[in-house]
Every structure is written in C-alpha cells, then in structure tokens.
Amino acid sequence: MVLHTLIGIAPDVLNLSVRDVVLPVVPMFHVNAWGLAYGAPIAGTKLVFPGPKMGDGATLQALIEEEQVTFSAGVPTVWLNLLKYLEETGKEVKTLQRVVIGGSACPRSIMEEFEERYGVYVHHAWGMTEMSPLGTVNTLKPEMLNWGREEQYRIRERQGRTVYGVEMKVVDDDGNELPMDGESTGLLKVRGPFVCNDYYKADAPSDVHDDDGWFSTGDVGSIDAEGYLQITDRSKDVIKSGGEWISSIDLENAAVGHPDVAEAAVIGVPHPRWAERPLLIIVRKEGRQADKKDILDWLKDRVAKWWLPDDVVYVDEIPHTATGKIQKTELRKRFSNYSF
C-alpha cells in the first residue's frame, strides 16, 4: 500500500501536491477512494469528502465552490449528474482543473463538455480492487502535445499506460501473449507488488492466477505500440454475435454522445441466428424525445454496421452499484424475458 500510494501521487499519475484541494467522489470502502485517502495526506493535499450525497450535482458543485477544489475523481455517472446540473443552472466550477474518470469507460462527450465549457482537463484511468487499485492513468507523452485535437482524443479515449510497478499483457484463449499493436484484443492480465496474490479466506487457490503470478482481470482489451491500454469490455459483458465480439462499452459511449441521451447501457440478448445481439437501453434527457430511428441513425456513423443494436428501449432509470457503475446483472434480470 505504501508503494502504491507513493507511485499514485507521481507527476504523471495523479500529480498531487500541497497546492491541490482533492475531492474523491468515490467512497472509501471502494479501494480507499482509489488511493486518494492515503495519497492526499502523504502529499500534504487538502482532502474534501463529499458525504452521502456524492452523486448529487448540486452538492458537488457547492462543495467544489466552497472548498476551492482543484482535483477530483469518480465514475462517469457522477460527472453526468454534475454536468446536467451545471447546464440547468448556469453555475460553474471555476477552481476545478483536473478530473480523473475510471470505474467504466468515459464517453468522449463528457471529456469534451468538461474541457470546452468549463476548462477542466479529463484523465482516463483504469484499475481494480485487486490492484489496490491503480493500473493505468492516461497522460499524453511530450510529442503528443503537438498533435491535432482528433489525434490527441484518439489516445485520450484509451485507459492509459501502466503506472510503475504494474506489468500488463493481453492473451488469447490459449494464454498466448498478443502483440502490442492496438488491434489484437484479448484477456487482460496484470502482475506487480500491489496486485493481490490470492483471495481472503478462499478454500483453495483461485484460478485467476497462473503459475507465473499473472492475475486475470476479467477485462478484455488491447495495448498499442505506445503502451496505451484500451478496455473493450468486461469478459462477462462482451457481446458475442455470430462468433465476433461487440463492445458494449463502445456502443454505450457512442449513444451517450447523442444530445437527447442522458445515459445508456447495452446488454446481449439471445438471438436464434447470431447467438447474441445488442439491446440498447436508454434514459432520455428531460424533455427530449429521440426515437429508435434517431438513435440508430446517430450510431451508423460511429460504430460498425453489424454492431448496431437490434432494438432500443427507453427506461426512466438505469440501476447502479453503490460506487456508481451500471449494474448489468440487474438489467439482464429485468430483460431476461425480452425477445427481438
């Protein structure tokens, strides 16, 4: 934990200093608020806790303003709520400079709105409880700072490069390591001094560790030649259609970019011909009326044609875990009798 904490406050990781004011919008029971509960005191950083209303946009805006918060971290759902509140009220977050977003992939629309409207820079990050939790943080390399906007976003939409102390690789179904070409997709494995080596009170050694100490994360992704990780999906959430993989994360992020969509989730539904096909579940923004055709037309230019959902359904609310992640298991139960 000491190693993890010292690495976490490094300049190209979370970059904490005595000049910052940190608001972790992550409960401490969830991996010590992503390590910030340790990192902030070590760096001498003022630490602000959001309390029980951490998902409430009004509460967050008020805390940021009152405490002069410069840095924050949380899952995408939290920031959707804050951005919605800012849009509705015209209020701002003037002191906020940087946000780290993890827990699930951050839609580009969130990154753009934060930066273009409020001047807040967004870092992608990835990790797991079993990793204490930091695995990667997205910081651009020096030569990338001179790239055009689209080239930079192509990199910044990925989950980032490993922090010191974490080794990372992707493997195929037979356990063979795949090349770092940004295209070869497989199961993500990690190892390092702050990666767990077993589970507490387990009756027998878990099968998620191999003989060489590599931990199987359950995430599916690719690594490019520069070392940037792209998470495609959780292995349990990836949709296998006609023998090919469809990323529910990429579909969700593309759908959330639609101006009428407040939140989106994608699950696989059994299909008689293709084994599974994607079902897109949407919460509309208040007062907006986008229909199925509007959404599919929007997606046509943003994802492969065969990825397009077979149907779009609308709900008032998408269930979330205590940490703000979309609860796919609950959605699968809710739509267990659904058929296209």
Side-chain angles (χ1 to χ4, degrees), residues 19 65 118 199 252 257 290 309 315:
R19 294 175 295 280
E65 189 174 71
Y118 304 104
Y199 286 103
E252 288 163 0
V315 296

Side-chain angles (χ1 to χ4, degrees), residues 56-324:
D56 178 66
T59 300
L60 290 179
Q61 190 277 333
L63 265 180
I64 291 168
E65 189 174 71
E66 291 166 11
E67 300 293 344
Q68 304 290 288
V69 171
T70 63
F71 174 89
S72 191
V75 299
T77 307
V78 164
W79 306 119
L80 283 170
N81 291 338
L82 175 61
L83 290 170
K84 179 184 177 184
Y85 177 76
L86 296 178
E87 182 180 8
E88 290 173 348
T89 62
K91 293 187 177 181
E92 298 183 356
V93 283
K94 292 180 180 179
T95 61
L96 191 61
Q97 300 168 8
R98 297 182 295 125
V99 166
V100 170
I101 300 182
S104 55
C106 175
R108 176 168 167 174
S109 57
I110 290 180
M111 299 173 75
E112 289 178 325
E113 188 170 357
F114 254 133
E115 291 174 35
E116 293 171 10
R117 295 189 63 174
Y118 304 104
V120 179
Y121 189 90
V122 175
H123 292 273
H124 238 144
W126 170 85
M128 299 181 69
T129 297
E130 290 90 340
M131 299 176 69
S132 304
L134 290 177
T136 66
V137 174
N138 194 313
T139 301
L140 293 178
K141 293 183 175 183
E143 64 272 18
M144 296 173 179
L145 299 176
N146 297 319
W147 290 3
R149 182 172 179 271
E150 287 301 316
E151 285 183 295
Q152 287 189 355
Y153 266 113
R154 180 175 55 82
I155 297 295
R156 292 181 55 205
E157 287 181 276
R158 299 174 186 176
Q159 276 63 51
R161 301 169 70 216
T162 52
V163 302
Y164 181 76
V166 174
E167 291 180 87
M168 180 172 69
K169 66 179 180 178
V170 291
V171 300
D172 63 18
D173 291 342
D174 297 319
N176 302 309
E177 185 170 354
L178 296 172
M180 292 171 56
D181 56 12
E183 296 180 2
S184 301
T185 300
L187 181 64
L188 179 64
K189 290 193 170 190
V190 294
R191 67 179 177 185
F194 40 84
V195 178
C196 80
N197 60 6
D198 212 337
Y199 286 103
Y200 182 58
K201 289 188 175 180
D203 295 331
S206 72
D207 58 2
V208 295
H209 294 87
D210 64 22
D211 294 337
D212 294 322
W214 287 95
F215 173 77
S216 180
T217 65
D219 281 328
V220 175
S222 64
I223 305 170
D224 69 14
E226 299 285 352
Y228 286 83
L229 170 68
Q230 174 78 62
I231 295 292
T232 307
D233 228 326
R234 291 289 293 166
S235 58
K236 62 186 178 183
D237 293 334
V238 71
I239 298 164
K240 296 174 183 176
S241 180
E244 300 289 342
W245 285 0
I246 297 175
S247 168
S248 67
I249 289 175
D250 287 349
L251 272 176
E252 288 163 0
N253 287 349
V256 168
H258 191 286
D260 288 0
V261 175
E263 193 172 13
V266 173
I267 59 172
V269 171
H271 190 281
R273 180 179 179 186
W274 302 111
E276 277 189 318
R277 289 296 299 160
L279 173 66
L280 176 58
I281 302 159
I282 279 178
V283 177
R284 291 189 184 100
K285 287 184 178 177
E286 191 172 346
R288 304 293 179 90
Q289 295 296 324
D291 60 17
K292 175 180 174 179
K293 183 178 183 302
D294 293 330
I295 300 299
L296 294 181
D297 286 345
W298 170 268
L299 292 175
K300 281 177 183 175
D301 297 329
R302 291 164 174 82
V303 300
K305 183 178 179 180
W306 59 276
W307 279 29
L308 288 174
D310 282 29
D311 202 2
V312 180
V313 296
Y314 300 91
V315 296
D316 294 330
E317 187 179 7
I318 288 173
H320 297 90
T321 66
T323 57

